[in-house]
Amino acid sequence: MSAGEETKPVSEVRELLRELILGREDPQGFFCMCVSLLGDADTRRLFLDLIKPLSSEYEHLHSQLTSVFLEYFSKDESEELELALTLSLYETKQIDPEDKLHNSDHQHHVPRSYKTYADVRTESSGADGSVVPENQPTAKCTLDTEVHKTRNAIKHINGDKITKSQKRRLRKKQHLLKNPSGPRPVVLWFRRDLRMWDNPALIGCLELGAPVIPVFLWNAMEEEGPGVTMSTGGASKYWLHQALVSLKRSLEERGSHLVTLKAEPSSLTALQGLMDETGAASVVATALYEPWLKERDDALWETLEKRGVTCHIYHSYCLRDPYTVSTRGVGLRGIGSVSHFMSCCQQNPAGGLGSPLDAPTTLPSPSAWPQGCPLADLGLARMPRRKDGTVIDWAVDIRKTWDFSEEGAHTHLEAFLRDGVYRYEKESCRADAPNTSCLSPYLHFGQLSARQVLWAARGARCKSPKFQRKLAWRDLAYWQISLFPDLPWESLRPPYKALRWSSDHAHLKAWQRGRTGYPLVDAAMRQLWQTGWMNNYMRHVVASFLIAYLHFPWQEGYRWFQDTLVDADVAIDAMMWQNGGMCGLDHWNFVMHPIDAALTCDPCGTFVRQWCPELKALPDDLIHKPWKCPTSMLRRAGVVFGDSYPERIVIDLEERRAQSLQDVASVRRRFRQFVDQRSGCDLVPVPSRLVQDALGSMEDIVKHEKNGFLLPVITRMEFKHQSEDPDRQDNPYSAVLKGYVSRKRDETVAFLNERDFTASVMCESAQRRERLERDSCLLEGLPRPTASRGGARRTQTRDPYSKVPGGVAVPRK
């Protein structure tokens, strides 16, 4: 083969070598591809030179490839090649004792040199693959014997005609057997990145060229955080358990294993013990953004680095790392809005988003696995027991609703981008139709990366800007919690701490259980309890009802959501509940009315009928307000207030809403130091990091003598007007949402009501006339008149409405 002819195959082999280093190809497959591309003669001549760069940083790969090469050509080689082959095979035939303990269907062959870093193990593998106690000198005697053979072989062939490279190779084999110094393992600490695809931390482990030990540590006290944060509730912990089961299966398919550990008394202690047991030199993990977990991680990384352990931290975000986003050059106005955040990300210099990473086909395993504990011992999916010993399986509906695997996450994403995304822009608010992606649990636990979802959304046929914008909201939440570490439990707007809140626990329990007497709210809360999820629009509905109409603080709703949502995320939930509770960096410019909002999200009552079956017999126009139904209609439908369905816990919604608005105006008048006199906006204390970033735009910041620097934030126009004119009854900026009703929808509804009313009056008149004729015949002794046939039916045979974009109800032809 000429030099020109061998250029292309050699370049292809080098491309395959890169895939091997990244873990996307195994040594056996790599060698087969080299033989296919180069042929036997050129493989014999070029292969060792091509893999020579691996000998410095990826010594274990170099050893495995050399073994495969020698085994393939051993039949035609001289005595020294046969000896080298014997030594190479000895290195790879050690059997991992954990494979026997776990009853694996297949044995994983690993280089002998990894065994040195499991010196605290009580068992080791013998030369014949049997498990023997480590205090017996079987392995050591075998190792010394092989070293002796190698030394004699070198002396024996010194007088023969062999090249210097062959001598050097044999001496290197002798050195490796006498002082096994292969690459030290790396610990891959899984936290909320439970996936194989597009996992930078996982690929980073492979680039280190060392055996990978995947671990999951659980310490309930550390995860929960201080105070009443409720970081991990029952529903999210159950999802985490199922996601770990799926992750463990995915790792085993790639020749690896997930080690689960109960990190007691702390994660630092557990990691230090893991380092001592395995001899690992590096820890790779993905960053967490909760303030108490970040504080723990910072102290943990510092301690490990003092011990000589290298820590590699990766980030999982969509636009930018929240800790690197600066407001310099952008200003601070609108700091709570997603538009301002996206502007900051665009102004800050950064590299491109990059394309998602493929999942590795195999993972290098250590020769001995550290001791762990069964996943069930972590207590993530613990079910309560009754006094008689029976188990209360409260998660049965959650299991029926969700696919917890990474494959299920990709299926959800593909199905949404193929169908649901076309309705997402205008119909994502619908509760009676699957127009949302349902990807939030997969994003929270890292079974889908934000970059992967954004990349897929940009490549879909329908590129929904609204859907892509939702991913920016996620990064905004992490940015806010990095700026305001007290976000999960402290109101950011100081005046609203003085608001008068209700203490009626009966009303709070009714809201939690879906027994408020308002069908839309009850249906949403029951869906949350049974499936662990509800769409974003319905979350706004139930939050507005709790805060604006029941007068409960946002912390009550936040804690309940954290306990019952499978996608419970501290940063996102705290941000949204504070914004809804008038205490965050932003104000919702709407308040959902529990009845009128149904015109948008459930116009035909399908959603209410699904989750409140006791109301399914009521007509569409009254199912959202059953208290207006006639007694006879309720009796026919089987609805008994206080028995089958609860009475309304609050009656006058307008009065409750007006009282909430007056309380806000009163607090703003009492705490004028936290109200900007120029704009009327609320003021919040500025973190020191923001003050440093905003040195070029200090005109946005108000200096207060006692409170330091204060920043004007987005404030609802309704509050500004109420503070200026508290005695005025009608507020032109009322934020109550009456539903997205268009003129076309009004005309359609009016036409249908008129037609139905006329038909009902005609039918009732005909029935009255027939009844009078029948009574008259009975009085006069005449035969009963014949009943008419083919009369019009009162009951409709099918739903007369069809769903169209915009939620406009039109009659079917």
Side-chain angles (χ1 to χ4, degrees), residues 38-70:
L38 301 175
D40 282 359
D42 287 328
T43 301
R44 185 193 303 268
R45 181 169 58 89
L46 300 173
F47 185 78
L48 294 177
D49 292 333
L50 288 173
I51 66 172
K52 189 175 181 180
L54 297 177
S55 60
S56 58
E57 296 184 6
Y58 305 97
E59 201 165 337
H60 72 290
L61 289 177
H62 187 273
S63 176
Q64 293 181 26
L65 290 173
T66 304
S67 300
V68 175
F69 172 80
L70 294 174

mmCIF file of all heavy atoms in Angstrom, residues 38-70:
data_model
loop_
_atom_site.group_PDB
_atom_site.id
_atom_site.type_symbol
_atom_site.label_atom_id
_atom_site.label_comp_id
_atom_site.label_asym_id
_atom_site.label_seq_id
_atom_site.Cartn_x
_atom_site.Cartn_y
_atom_site.Cartn_z
ATOM 1 N N LEU A 38 -7.686 -1.645 7.381
ATOM 2 C CA LEU A 38 -6.278 -1.715 7.007
ATOM 3 C C LEU A 38 -5.867 -3.040 6.391
ATOM 4 O O LEU A 38 -4.887 -3.101 5.635
ATOM 5 C CB LEU A 38 -5.398 -1.451 8.238
ATOM 6 C CG LEU A 38 -5.595 -0.099 8.954
ATOM 7 C CD1 LEU A 38 -4.750 -0.046 10.207
ATOM 8 C CD2 LEU A 38 -5.241 1.053 8.032
ATOM 9 N N GLY A 39 -6.590 -4.113 6.735
ATOM 10 C CA GLY A 39 -6.151 -5.434 6.308
ATOM 11 C C GLY A 39 -5.163 -6.035 7.293
ATOM 12 O O GLY A 39 -4.594 -5.337 8.150
ATOM 13 N N ASP A 40 -4.921 -7.338 7.191
ATOM 14 C CA ASP A 40 -4.064 -8.016 8.161
ATOM 15 C C ASP A 40 -2.629 -7.482 8.139
ATOM 16 O O ASP A 40 -2.029 -7.219 9.196
ATOM 17 C CB ASP A 40 -4.046 -9.525 7.865
ATOM 18 C CG ASP A 40 -5.309 -10.206 8.361
ATOM 19 O OD1 ASP A 40 -6.150 -9.488 8.926
ATOM 20 O OD2 ASP A 40 -5.455 -11.425 8.172
ATOM 21 N N ALA A 41 -2.060 -7.336 6.953
ATOM 22 C CA ALA A 41 -0.655 -6.941 6.858
ATOM 23 C C ALA A 41 -0.416 -5.545 7.425
ATOM 24 O O ALA A 41 0.506 -5.323 8.229
ATOM 25 C CB ALA A 41 -0.201 -7.011 5.405
ATOM 26 N N ASP A 42 -1.252 -4.571 7.013
ATOM 27 C CA ASP A 42 -1.059 -3.209 7.500
ATOM 28 C C ASP A 42 -1.432 -3.086 8.970
ATOM 29 O O ASP A 42 -0.878 -2.240 9.683
ATOM 30 C CB ASP A 42 -1.885 -2.237 6.661
ATOM 31 C CG ASP A 42 -1.295 -2.043 5.274
ATOM 32 O OD1 ASP A 42 -0.051 -2.128 5.165
ATOM 33 O OD2 ASP A 42 -2.061 -1.830 4.319
ATOM 34 N N THR A 43 -2.410 -3.886 9.432
ATOM 35 C CA THR A 43 -2.743 -3.853 10.863
ATOM 36 C C THR A 43 -1.552 -4.322 11.689
ATOM 37 O O THR A 43 -1.204 -3.721 12.711
ATOM 38 C CB THR A 43 -3.963 -4.733 11.144
ATOM 39 O OG1 THR A 43 -5.076 -4.265 10.386
ATOM 40 C CG2 THR A 43 -4.332 -4.692 12.626
ATOM 41 N N ARG A 44 -0.887 -5.432 11.220
ATOM 42 C CA ARG A 44 0.288 -5.939 11.908
ATOM 43 C C ARG A 44 1.410 -4.881 11.942
ATOM 44 O O ARG A 44 2.133 -4.744 12.928
ATOM 45 C CB ARG A 44 0.787 -7.213 11.216
ATOM 46 C CG ARG A 44 1.962 -7.893 11.936
ATOM 47 C CD ARG A 44 2.578 -8.934 11.012
ATOM 48 N NE ARG A 44 1.627 -9.904 10.573
ATOM 49 C CZ ARG A 44 1.388 -11.069 11.196
ATOM 50 N NH1 ARG A 44 2.053 -11.348 12.295
ATOM 51 N NH2 ARG A 44 0.512 -11.923 10.719
ATOM 52 N N ARG A 45 1.507 -4.084 10.872
ATOM 53 C CA ARG A 45 2.604 -3.139 10.743
ATOM 54 C C ARG A 45 2.314 -1.806 11.423
ATOM 55 O O ARG A 45 3.209 -1.182 12.002
ATOM 56 C CB ARG A 45 2.892 -2.912 9.250
ATOM 57 C CG ARG A 45 4.039 -1.945 8.960
ATOM 58 C CD ARG A 45 4.406 -2.003 7.491
ATOM 59 N NE ARG A 45 3.269 -1.672 6.643
ATOM 60 C CZ ARG A 45 2.956 -0.435 6.255
ATOM 61 N NH1 ARG A 45 3.689 0.579 6.662
ATOM 62 N NH2 ARG A 45 1.931 -0.222 5.454
ATOM 63 N N LEU A 46 1.037 -1.336 11.386
ATOM 64 C CA LEU A 46 0.730 0.026 11.821
ATOM 65 C C LEU A 46 -0.017 0.117 13.150
ATOM 66 O O LEU A 46 -0.034 1.183 13.781
ATOM 67 C CB LEU A 46 -0.118 0.737 10.751
ATOM 68 C CG LEU A 46 0.498 0.873 9.367
ATOM 69 C CD1 LEU A 46 -0.531 1.437 8.405
ATOM 70 C CD2 LEU A 46 1.716 1.775 9.423
ATOM 71 N N PHE A 47 -0.638 -0.973 13.578
ATOM 72 C CA PHE A 47 -1.588 -0.863 14.698
ATOM 73 C C PHE A 47 -0.908 -0.369 15.977
ATOM 74 O O PHE A 47 -1.412 0.535 16.653
ATOM 75 C CB PHE A 47 -2.252 -2.221 14.947
ATOM 76 C CG PHE A 47 -3.322 -2.174 15.993
ATOM 77 C CD1 PHE A 47 -4.580 -1.669 15.709
ATOM 78 C CD2 PHE A 47 -3.074 -2.603 17.296
ATOM 79 C CE1 PHE A 47 -5.564 -1.623 16.674
ATOM 80 C CE2 PHE A 47 -4.044 -2.556 18.264
ATOM 81 C CZ PHE A 47 -5.299 -2.067 17.952
ATOM 82 N N LEU A 48 0.229 -0.963 16.333
ATOM 83 C CA LEU A 48 0.878 -0.579 17.589
ATOM 84 C C LEU A 48 1.330 0.871 17.582
ATOM 85 O O LEU A 48 1.317 1.552 18.613
ATOM 86 C CB LEU A 48 2.071 -1.508 17.861
ATOM 87 C CG LEU A 48 1.714 -2.975 18.136
ATOM 88 C CD1 LEU A 48 2.973 -3.804 18.316
ATOM 89 C CD2 LEU A 48 0.834 -3.087 19.379
ATOM 90 N N ASP A 49 1.735 1.370 16.404
ATOM 91 C CA ASP A 49 2.113 2.780 16.329
ATOM 92 C C ASP A 49 0.896 3.698 16.443
ATOM 93 O O ASP A 49 0.981 4.799 17.010
ATOM 94 C CB ASP A 49 2.843 3.050 15.007
ATOM 95 C CG ASP A 49 4.205 2.367 14.968
ATOM 96 O OD1 ASP A 49 4.785 2.158 16.061
ATOM 97 O OD2 ASP A 49 4.683 2.046 13.860
ATOM 98 N N LEU A 50 -0.254 3.254 15.913
ATOM 99 C CA LEU A 50 -1.462 4.081 15.965
ATOM 100 C C LEU A 50 -1.999 4.220 17.388
ATOM 101 O O LEU A 50 -2.558 5.265 17.743
ATOM 102 C CB LEU A 50 -2.548 3.484 15.057
ATOM 103 C CG LEU A 50 -2.309 3.624 13.553
ATOM 104 C CD1 LEU A 50 -3.360 2.853 12.769
ATOM 105 C CD2 LEU A 50 -2.336 5.092 13.130
ATOM 106 N N ILE A 51 -1.858 3.161 18.186
ATOM 107 C CA ILE A 51 -2.384 3.237 19.554
ATOM 108 C C ILE A 51 -1.325 3.694 20.547
ATOM 109 O O ILE A 51 -1.600 3.769 21.747
ATOM 110 C CB ILE A 51 -2.948 1.876 20.000
ATOM 111 C CG1 ILE A 51 -1.834 0.837 20.118
ATOM 112 C CG2 ILE A 51 -4.051 1.412 19.070
ATOM 113 C CD1 ILE A 51 -2.288 -0.459 20.741
ATOM 114 N N LYS A 52 -0.132 4.010 20.086
ATOM 115 C CA LYS A 52 0.937 4.411 20.990
ATOM 116 C C LYS A 52 0.595 5.657 21.809
ATOM 117 O O LYS A 52 0.967 5.754 22.981
ATOM 118 C CB LYS A 52 2.217 4.639 20.185
ATOM 119 C CG LYS A 52 3.456 4.856 21.053
ATOM 120 C CD LYS A 52 4.703 4.951 20.185
ATOM 121 C CE LYS A 52 5.946 5.142 21.052
ATOM 122 N NZ LYS A 52 7.176 5.232 20.238
ATOM 123 N N PRO A 53 -0.129 6.663 21.239
ATOM 124 C CA PRO A 53 -0.476 7.838 22.069
ATOM 125 C C PRO A 53 -1.301 7.506 23.304
ATOM 126 O O PRO A 53 -1.355 8.306 24.240
ATOM 127 C CB PRO A 53 -1.269 8.726 21.097
ATOM 128 C CG PRO A 53 -0.791 8.324 19.738
ATOM 129 C CD PRO A 53 -0.503 6.866 19.825
ATOM 130 N N LEU A 54 -1.957 6.341 23.338
ATOM 131 C CA LEU A 54 -2.759 5.982 24.495
ATOM 132 C C LEU A 54 -1.914 5.569 25.693
ATOM 133 O O LEU A 54 -2.413 5.527 26.818
ATOM 134 C CB LEU A 54 -3.711 4.825 24.142
ATOM 135 C CG LEU A 54 -4.767 5.078 23.064
ATOM 136 C CD1 LEU A 54 -5.546 3.812 22.805
ATOM 137 C CD2 LEU A 54 -5.706 6.196 23.480
ATOM 138 N N SER A 55 -0.668 5.222 25.468
ATOM 139 C CA SER A 55 0.146 4.639 26.531
ATOM 140 C C SER A 55 0.424 5.616 27.666
ATOM 141 O O SER A 55 0.754 5.203 28.772
ATOM 142 C CB SER A 55 1.477 4.136 25.959
ATOM 143 O OG SER A 55 2.200 5.209 25.366
ATOM 144 N N SER A 56 0.281 6.925 27.439
ATOM 145 C CA SER A 56 0.597 7.906 28.480
ATOM 146 C C SER A 56 -0.595 8.222 29.374
ATOM 147 O O SER A 56 -0.503 8.145 30.595
ATOM 148 C CB SER A 56 1.127 9.197 27.839
ATOM 149 O OG SER A 56 0.159 9.708 26.931
ATOM 150 N N GLU A 57 -1.765 8.538 28.763
ATOM 151 C CA GLU A 57 -2.925 8.968 29.548
ATOM 152 C C GLU A 57 -4.004 7.901 29.644
ATOM 153 O O GLU A 57 -4.800 7.906 30.588
ATOM 154 C CB GLU A 57 -3.532 10.239 28.938
ATOM 155 C CG GLU A 57 -2.593 11.434 28.976
ATOM 156 C CD GLU A 57 -3.268 12.682 28.452
ATOM 157 O OE1 GLU A 57 -4.471 12.621 28.186
ATOM 158 O OE2 GLU A 57 -2.576 13.705 28.323
ATOM 159 N N TYR A 58 -4.073 7.003 28.680
ATOM 160 C CA TYR A 58 -5.110 5.968 28.670
ATOM 161 C C TYR A 58 -4.446 4.593 28.655
ATOM 162 O O TYR A 58 -4.583 3.808 27.725
ATOM 163 C CB TYR A 58 -6.034 6.135 27.460
ATOM 164 C CG TYR A 58 -6.660 7.503 27.373
ATOM 165 C CD1 TYR A 58 -6.114 8.505 26.559
ATOM 166 C CD2 TYR A 58 -7.777 7.814 28.126
ATOM 167 C CE1 TYR A 58 -6.684 9.761 26.498
ATOM 168 C CE2 TYR A 58 -8.358 9.072 28.074
ATOM 169 C CZ TYR A 58 -7.805 10.040 27.252
ATOM 170 O OH TYR A 58 -8.384 11.277 27.197
ATOM 171 N N GLU A 59 -3.704 4.343 29.733
ATOM 172 C CA GLU A 59 -2.863 3.159 29.775
ATOM 173 C C GLU A 59 -3.687 1.880 29.761
ATOM 174 O O GLU A 59 -3.286 0.866 29.188
ATOM 175 C CB GLU A 59 -1.978 3.215 31.019
ATOM 176 C CG GLU A 59 -0.734 2.336 30.911
ATOM 177 C CD GLU A 59 0.284 2.692 31.977
ATOM 178 O OE1 GLU A 59 0.228 3.843 32.478
ATOM 179 O OE2 GLU A 59 1.097 1.842 32.298
ATOM 180 N N HIS A 60 -4.871 1.900 30.410
ATOM 181 C CA HIS A 60 -5.690 0.689 30.451
ATOM 182 C C HIS A 60 -6.219 0.331 29.068
ATOM 183 O O HIS A 60 -6.286 -0.838 28.699
ATOM 184 C CB HIS A 60 -6.830 0.864 31.448
ATOM 185 C CG HIS A 60 -7.897 1.793 30.995
ATOM 186 N ND1 HIS A 60 -7.681 3.158 30.895
ATOM 187 C CD2 HIS A 60 -9.172 1.568 30.596
ATOM 188 C CE1 HIS A 60 -8.786 3.727 30.469
ATOM 189 N NE2 HIS A 60 -9.704 2.802 30.278
ATOM 190 N N LEU A 61 -6.591 1.361 28.265
ATOM 191 C CA LEU A 61 -7.041 1.088 26.900
ATOM 192 C C LEU A 61 -5.890 0.536 26.058
ATOM 193 O O LEU A 61 -6.075 -0.379 25.252
ATOM 194 C CB LEU A 61 -7.603 2.362 26.267
ATOM 195 C CG LEU A 61 -8.954 2.863 26.795
ATOM 196 C CD1 LEU A 61 -9.329 4.177 26.116
ATOM 197 C CD2 LEU A 61 -10.042 1.833 26.558
ATOM 198 N N HIS A 62 -4.706 1.106 26.252
ATOM 199 C CA HIS A 62 -3.528 0.629 25.509
ATOM 200 C C HIS A 62 -3.242 -0.831 25.849
ATOM 201 O O HIS A 62 -2.926 -1.650 24.961
ATOM 202 C CB HIS A 62 -2.323 1.512 25.838
ATOM 203 C CG HIS A 62 -1.110 1.204 25.014
ATOM 204 N ND1 HIS A 62 -0.195 0.231 25.383
ATOM 205 C CD2 HIS A 62 -0.664 1.722 23.837
ATOM 206 C CE1 HIS A 62 0.754 0.154 24.485
ATOM 207 N NE2 HIS A 62 0.507 1.059 23.528
ATOM 208 N N SER A 63 -3.390 -1.187 27.123
ATOM 209 C CA SER A 63 -3.140 -2.565 27.547
ATOM 210 C C SER A 63 -4.150 -3.523 26.929
ATOM 211 O O SER A 63 -3.801 -4.605 26.448
ATOM 212 C CB SER A 63 -3.180 -2.644 29.070
ATOM 213 O OG SER A 63 -3.044 -3.979 29.504
ATOM 214 N N GLN A 64 -5.440 -3.117 26.927
ATOM 215 C CA GLN A 64 -6.470 -3.986 26.351
ATOM 216 C C GLN A 64 -6.272 -4.156 24.849
ATOM 217 O O GLN A 64 -6.388 -5.265 24.315
ATOM 218 C CB GLN A 64 -7.858 -3.401 26.648
ATOM 219 C CG GLN A 64 -8.220 -3.423 28.122
ATOM 220 C CD GLN A 64 -9.601 -2.866 28.369
ATOM 221 O OE1 GLN A 64 -10.461 -2.893 27.499
ATOM 222 N NE2 GLN A 64 -9.827 -2.363 29.573
ATOM 223 N N LEU A 65 -5.950 -3.069 24.157
ATOM 224 C CA LEU A 65 -5.763 -3.162 22.707
ATOM 225 C C LEU A 65 -4.535 -4.017 22.367
ATOM 226 O O LEU A 65 -4.540 -4.777 21.391
ATOM 227 C CB LEU A 65 -5.622 -1.758 22.117
ATOM 228 C CG LEU A 65 -6.899 -0.905 22.122
ATOM 229 C CD1 LEU A 65 -6.575 0.509 21.672
ATOM 230 C CD2 LEU A 65 -7.961 -1.505 21.223
ATOM 231 N N THR A 66 -3.490 -3.891 23.145
ATOM 232 C CA THR A 66 -2.298 -4.719 22.913
ATOM 233 C C THR A 66 -2.621 -6.191 23.101
ATOM 234 O O THR A 66 -2.160 -7.049 22.330
ATOM 235 C CB THR A 66 -1.174 -4.288 23.856
ATOM 236 O OG1 THR A 66 -0.916 -2.891 23.693
ATOM 237 C CG2 THR A 66 0.100 -5.067 23.582
ATOM 238 N N SER A 67 -3.441 -6.484 24.117
ATOM 239 C CA SER A 67 -3.830 -7.873 24.346
ATOM 240 C C SER A 67 -4.623 -8.428 23.177
ATOM 241 O O SER A 67 -4.392 -9.562 22.724
ATOM 242 C CB SER A 67 -4.651 -7.967 25.636
ATOM 243 O OG SER A 67 -3.916 -7.520 26.740
ATOM 244 N N VAL A 68 -5.554 -7.636 22.663
ATOM 245 C CA VAL A 68 -6.356 -8.089 21.520
ATOM 246 C C VAL A 68 -5.469 -8.291 20.293
ATOM 247 O O VAL A 68 -5.604 -9.267 19.536
ATOM 248 C CB VAL A 68 -7.479 -7.066 21.237
ATOM 249 C CG1 VAL A 68 -8.248 -7.462 19.986
ATOM 250 C CG2 VAL A 68 -8.428 -6.980 22.428
ATOM 251 N N PHE A 69 -4.534 -7.355 20.086
ATOM 252 C CA PHE A 69 -3.626 -7.454 18.934
ATOM 253 C C PHE A 69 -2.763 -8.719 19.018
ATOM 254 O O PHE A 69 -2.622 -9.473 18.047
ATOM 255 C CB PHE A 69 -2.744 -6.199 18.901
ATOM 256 C CG PHE A 69 -1.644 -6.254 17.883
ATOM 257 C CD1 PHE A 69 -1.905 -5.995 16.542
ATOM 258 C CD2 PHE A 69 -0.340 -6.557 18.255
ATOM 259 C CE1 PHE A 69 -0.881 -6.034 15.608
ATOM 260 C CE2 PHE A 69 0.675 -6.601 17.326
ATOM 261 C CZ PHE A 69 0.399 -6.340 15.991
ATOM 262 N N LEU A 70 -2.186 -8.975 20.185
ATOM 263 C CA LEU A 70 -1.329 -10.150 20.339
ATOM 264 C C LEU A 70 -2.112 -11.446 20.215
ATOM 265 O O LEU A 70 -1.629 -12.428 19.656
ATOM 266 C CB LEU A 70 -0.621 -10.090 21.694
ATOM 267 C CG LEU A 70 0.393 -8.951 21.875
ATOM 268 C CD1 LEU A 70 0.917 -8.913 23.296
ATOM 269 C CD2 LEU A 70 1.543 -9.098 20.890
#
